[in-house]
Amino acid sequence: MPSEISSDDGGLHKSLFDFYMDHKVKCLKRKLSCVGRRNMKLKLSTDFPACSTFTRYSGKFFSGVVDGLCPRYKDVIENYGISCLLSFVRTKVPLRLVKWLACRFDVPSSKFKLKRKFIPLTKYDIQGILDLLVEGEPLVCDPESGHDFILSHANLTSIPPVSFFTNKLKSLEVELPDEDVFICFMIVAFSSFLCPNSSLSPSPKYLHIFRDCRSVCTYDLSQFVLSGF
């Protein structure tokens, strides 16, 4: 009898020990899993930090404008020497990656800072990607002249939002003159794609170049885009 009791006690102790160890192992796995998730979030947060940069950039919007142009309007833009923008193809890039790159771009030196490496970005890179003009006349900002021109040309009292120029291109009621087609399209291109800012309205800094639409193709637009005006 004593031996049977001892055997039962031993079996009970072993069962309790196995249960205890199984419980401990499961708890340890849960802890390790939680730590792993926290470390992964921390790594992602480190690799892709939050960035406060904000612009009205929208490749989707600009792509829609290009696709919605009628054949005549596309011919007008091509005749003014900016057919490269008609070839724009929207590419999906994660927004966090875009912000990550933006946060690591040093504007004064025009270089990406990635740890100990520095990757320069030149106007020739811009030209290679967008096929914009290069080695042309420098585009000097003139906000006052640009402001006055667009108000006078469009018979307005204040610079309207970019949607105003987009709607003109989309309108089926009124067919725009060639010059207005080009001006509206380039304002949309600058505001939503090439040099977007944080405003709903286009920047007046470059609007003065549209006094002579034929001369736009003589400017160093690649350098202008690179500098972000």
Side-chain angles (χ1 to χ4, degrees):
M1 178 69 71
S3 61
E4 291 181 3
I5 295 175
S6 177
S7 175
D8 290 343
D9 287 346
L12 178 61
H13 291 163
K14 185 177 185 305
S15 297
L16 290 173
F17 177 78
D18 290 343
F19 175 79
Y20 171 77
M21 290 303 297
D22 183 61
H23 176 70
K24 291 293 289 184
V25 169
K26 288 182 178 179
C27 288
L28 181 59
K29 285 182 177 179
R30 283 197 295 269
K31 288 181 179 180
L32 289 174
S33 178
C34 291
V35 170
R37 286 195 294 268
R38 284 197 298 269
N39 288 340
M40 180 60 71
K41 290 179 180 179
L42 180 60
K43 184 177 185 301
L44 289 173
S45 178
T46 302
D47 290 344
F48 298 95
C51 180
S52 60
T53 302
F54 174 77
T55 69
R56 294 289 175 182
Y57 167 83
S58 177
K60 180 180 180 180
F61 175 78
F62 181 63
S63 177
V65 172
V66 172
D67 292 342
L69 292 173
C70 66
R72 176 184 163 260
Y73 284 8
K74 289 184 177 181
D75 288 341
V76 169
I77 294 163
E78 185 174 353
N79 290 335
Y80 275 105
I82 310 293
S83 59
C84 57
L85 294 181
L86 297 176
S87 302
F88 175 80
V89 177
R90 180 191 172 208
T91 302
K92 292 184 178 180
V93 179
L95 181 59
R96 293 181 68 189
L97 175 58
V98 174
K99 290 183 176 181
W100 180 78
L101 288 171
C103 288
R104 279 160 175 74
F105 185 69
D106 182 65
V107 176
S109 64
S110 295
K111 293 180 180 180
F112 288 101
K113 293 184 177 181
L114 305 176
K115 293 184 178 180
R116 296 183 179 180
K117 294 183 179 180
F118 294 86
I119 303 176
L121 181 66
T122 70
K123 65 179 182 179
Y124 299 102
D125 295 317
I126 301 296
Q127 196 260 348
I129 296 170
L130 302 177
D131 200 26
L132 285 173
L133 305 168
V134 71
E135 301 293 5
E137 179 184 351
L139 201 169
V140 180
C141 295
D142 190 346
E144 184 175 351
S145 179
H147 180 273
D148 292 342
F149 164 71
I150 204 66
L151 295 188
S152 174
H153 181 80
N155 193 25
L156 300 169
T157 57
S158 62
I159 296 181
V162 178
S163 58
F164 171 84
F165 303 97
T166 306
N167 291 335
K168 278 182 168 293
L169 292 172
K170 292 181 177 180
S171 176
L172 299 177
E173 298 179 359
V174 180
E175 188 170 352
L176 300 175
D178 289 1
E179 189 177 69
D180 286 1
V181 170
F182 184 69
I183 291 174
C184 288
F185 177 77
M186 290 304 295
I187 287 178
V188 173
F190 276 122
S191 301
S192 65
F193 176 58
L194 297 177
C195 297
N197 56 23
S198 59
S199 174
L200 290 172
S201 300
S203 170
K205 294 182 179 180
Y206 54 80
L207 297 179
H208 63 286
I209 66 174
F210 300 124
R211 290 183 183 278
D212 181 7
C213 290
R214 290 292 176 188
S215 71
V216 172
C217 63
T218 66
Y219 287 102
D220 189 348
L221 296 181
S222 293
Q223 178 59 46
F224 184 68
V225 171
L226 176 63
S227 65
F229 66 87

